[in-house]
Amino acid sequence: MNRSDLNPAPNRARVWIASLLLSVSALGLPATPALAQGVVQSTGAAERIDITERVRALSQRIGVAACHVQAGSDVENFKKVATDAIAEFDRLMLGLAEGNPELGLPAKEEERKVLAGIRGVDLQWQTFAGQAKTLLDGSAPADGWDYVARQNLNLMHSTKYLVQEIINAYANPPELLQSHALTLDIVGRQRSLALQMAKEACGLANGNKVVGNSFRFAKTVRLFEASLNALANGFPAAGVITPPTPEIAAKMAEIQADWAAVKPDVEAAVTGVDPAASVELYKKLDAITTKFDEVTLMYVTASKSGI
């Protein structure tokens, strides 16, 4: 694989980007959403999307941390990263199920399909978290890491399904327009993709093909970059709105500049870098993740303009 694999040919780019964005967010939205009557009370619709995307990102954070622990790189720091992420995952999942006003979730979840999605994530999570903890404390069996790496992907897919069910249930105007819901899904997903890149770069750097291979890594990079460009400029064909406020536009431009600065390091990782370099790449991608935390909350606020 060469670096040109990270960029589709220009004459195919528009169709490719639209299909790529939509393939990860096949929403199945209702054709005629119910209109709210009178004063709208927030149900935490936008927050539910953001929190589920945060959960998805945490699955990748635990994966990249476990990879570095297994490789012997900055072990104590990455053990703390994973331990903190596990605790936060539990807190957010409990909030989605039971409600948590501090998270913007005013009440216990009652939508049947959303509850089924929460249970699906929790089923994957309990097994994944248990195995991840054995890696962190050194008690994992010989095949423990391979299991965690594969289960990491299953957990990510189950959170994707949960987001879709939340959007189906809650994307009803005036509280949350469907276009805002789809855009929130994509902007929130960028955190997962950034950390997924870091995880796969760790696998490439340490010869762990279960965690990262050059084909999958290049695909993650393309999806991140295509989504970033769509968010910065709008992409109506994929349902992505243009930045709804000047502040969001400025933050997206800032993130684009950060991505341009780190992309050479990302491209170098396709063929494998040394383990120390993969740790530094994680730090740079994690800084971008933090900025996506900030801009996602800005999108959540902007989405409430109809209330």
Side-chain angles (χ1 to χ4, degrees):
M1 173 172 296
N2 55 51
R3 294 183 182 181
S4 64
D5 292 331
L6 296 176
N7 299 292
N11 63 339
R12 292 182 287 125
R14 188 173 181 83
V15 172
W16 178 83
I17 292 172
S19 64
L20 189 60
L21 291 171
L22 291 171
S23 69
V24 185
S25 298
L27 302 177
L29 295 170
T32 310
L35 294 178
Q37 301 295 323
V39 177
V40 178
Q41 298 296 324
S42 174
T43 61
E47 286 86 350
R48 293 174 197 276
I49 296 171
D50 172 40
I51 289 168
T52 306
E53 291 294 354
R54 284 160 64 184
V55 164
R56 189 192 305 196
L58 287 168
S59 74
Q60 298 307 292
R61 186 178 298 283
I62 295 164
V64 67
C67 176
H68 285 296
V69 168
Q70 194 244 4
S73 301
D74 200 5
V75 171
E76 292 307 313
N77 175 59
F78 279 110
K79 281 186 176 181
K80 185 178 187 308
V81 167
T83 300
D84 290 349
I86 289 170
E88 180 67 356
F89 196 112
D90 284 332
R91 184 179 80 93
L92 295 179
M93 287 301 298
L94 182 63
L96 284 172
E98 300 296 329
N100 183 334
E102 291 182 359
L103 294 173
L105 305 174
K108 183 176 181 178
E109 182 60 65
E110 295 183 351
E111 292 285 342
R112 180 177 57 83
K113 289 186 176 181
V114 176
L115 284 170
I118 291 172
R119 285 193 293 269
V121 172
D122 190 61
L123 181 64
Q124 298 284 351
W125 168 243
Q126 293 304 323
T127 305
F128 173 80
Q131 291 291 326
K133 288 174 183 176
T134 67
L135 286 173
L136 297 176
D137 67 18
S139 65
D143 62 347
W145 171 252
D146 287 355
Y147 179 85
V148 168
R150 292 187 175 94
Q151 190 71 7
N152 177 255
L153 295 176
N154 292 337
L155 181 58
M156 189 167 60
H157 289 311
S158 67
T159 56
K160 170 187 168 183
Y161 170 80
L162 175 56
V163 170
Q164 292 171 2
E165 292 300 342
I166 289 171
I167 293 176
N168 289 340
Y170 288 98
N172 295 303
E175 180 177 0
L176 181 62
L177 299 177
Q178 293 176 359
S179 58
H180 285 187
L182 175 57
T183 304
L184 260 174
D185 179 19
I186 292 175
V187 71
R189 188 186 66 194
Q190 290 294 87
R191 297 172 289 198
S192 299
L193 292 172
L195 292 168
Q196 187 175 336
M197 276 188 269
K199 180 190 72 177
E200 291 167 352
C202 174
L204 287 164
N206 293 284
N208 193 330
K209 294 181 180 179
V210 177
V211 178
N213 61 65
S214 57
F215 174 80
R216 190 166 65 224
F217 182 73
K219 182 178 178 180
T220 304
V221 173
R222 289 197 302 268
L223 179 53
F224 178 89
E225 189 162 53
S227 300
L228 178 60
N229 291 335
L231 289 166
N233 303 303
F235 202 107
V240 181
I241 63 173
T242 56
T245 68
E247 293 77 14
I248 289 176
K251 180 62 72 172
M252 290 305 307
E254 184 180 330
I255 293 173
Q256 281 187 301
D258 290 347
W259 171 245
V262 77
K263 190 176 177 182
D265 296 331
V266 171
E267 291 176 331
V270 173
T271 53
V273 294
D274 65 78
S278 73
V279 171
E280 291 306 310
L281 180 57
Y282 162 77
K283 293 176 181 177
K284 293 176 181 179
L285 291 171
D286 190 42
I288 290 177
T289 300
T290 298
K291 290 190 177 181
F292 268 110
D293 282 336
E294 298 168 4
V295 78
T296 302
L297 291 177
M298 294 164 72
Y299 271 97
V300 168
T301 300
S303 74
K304 297 180 183 297
S305 59
I307 298 181

